[in-house]
Amino acid sequence: MTIIMEAHEIQLALEKSIEYYKKSLLEYSHDQFVAKPNDEEWSIGQMYEHVCISALYFFYKRATYCLEQRNGQIGGEKNVYGEKQFKYNSFPPTRLKIPDALKGPEPIAREKEIYLDLLDQIAIQGKILAEKILLDKGEYKCIQPAFGWLNAHEWYWMNEQHFRHHLLQKERIDAFLSLR
């Protein structure tokens, strides 16, 4: 059975995640915020940078492109991974490795207070997008390299899934930090 979430449901779930991220942010010391478990993993600060910048400049931007009908096309299908993504309303519950060809630079953590503002911006912009998505027919799509062609609703929904997915990473880093 495929799960379908409406834009307002997605927004409520996203706001719940954002509040959790904000509350958690205040619990880290500066040293904890920048401490990396090892050379291959991110610090909690890098994780915050990644989820915030991904929301604003990847997921929301692609959703907006779909709404404005630019940088994409009418139609197109998700691939098998994209179908599973939305069928289960979740990224796989495992560590995902981005192929080198798709990797950007490693995130650089900024001051914790910046993320409080960014998380608020994500929530505000999310509400605005949700209203526009309600009026969208969903025909125009932009490509997602790992999942295929997604419309504005799917890009918006994937952002919420992305926030939840990184809670698994947060748990691993938190476990590391409790040992320090």
Side-chain angles (χ1 to χ4, degrees), residues 37 41 95 167-177:
E41 296 184 64
R95 291 184 186 192
L167 292 176
L168 297 171
Q169 181 183 24
K170 181 184 176 316
E171 286 178 19
R172 288 192 305 271
I173 299 170
D174 286 349
F176 159 75
L177 293 173

Side-chain angles (χ1 to χ4, degrees), residues 19-100:
E19 286 308 310
Y20 179 73
Y21 273 85
K22 287 170 65 174
K23 179 180 172 279
S24 297
L25 184 61
L26 302 174
E27 297 172 0
Y28 299 108
S29 70
H30 173 75
D31 288 345
Q32 288 173 320
F33 197 64
V34 297
K36 293 176 66 167
N38 58 56
D39 289 341
E40 299 295 316
E41 296 184 64
W42 290 343
S43 69
I44 202 75
Q46 288 174 293
M47 186 205 72
Y48 270 85
E49 179 72 11
H50 169 74
V51 295
C52 290
I53 297 307
S54 294
L56 294 169
Y57 300 106
F58 184 60
F59 295 109
Y60 283 2
K61 185 170 271 199
R62 296 311 179 281
T64 300
Y65 286 167
C66 291
L67 294 169
E68 295 173 350
Q69 297 196 354
R70 61 188 179 106
N71 295 336
Q73 66 184 33
I74 298 289
E77 301 299 323
K78 292 185 279 299
N79 62 27
V80 66
Y81 304 109
E83 291 295 336
K84 286 181 181 180
Q85 179 80 15
F86 292 97
K87 179 179 180 178
Y88 298 111
N89 184 25
S90 179
F91 281 82
T94 59
R95 291 184 186 192
L96 301 177
K97 183 147 176 75
I98 298 172
D100 289 340

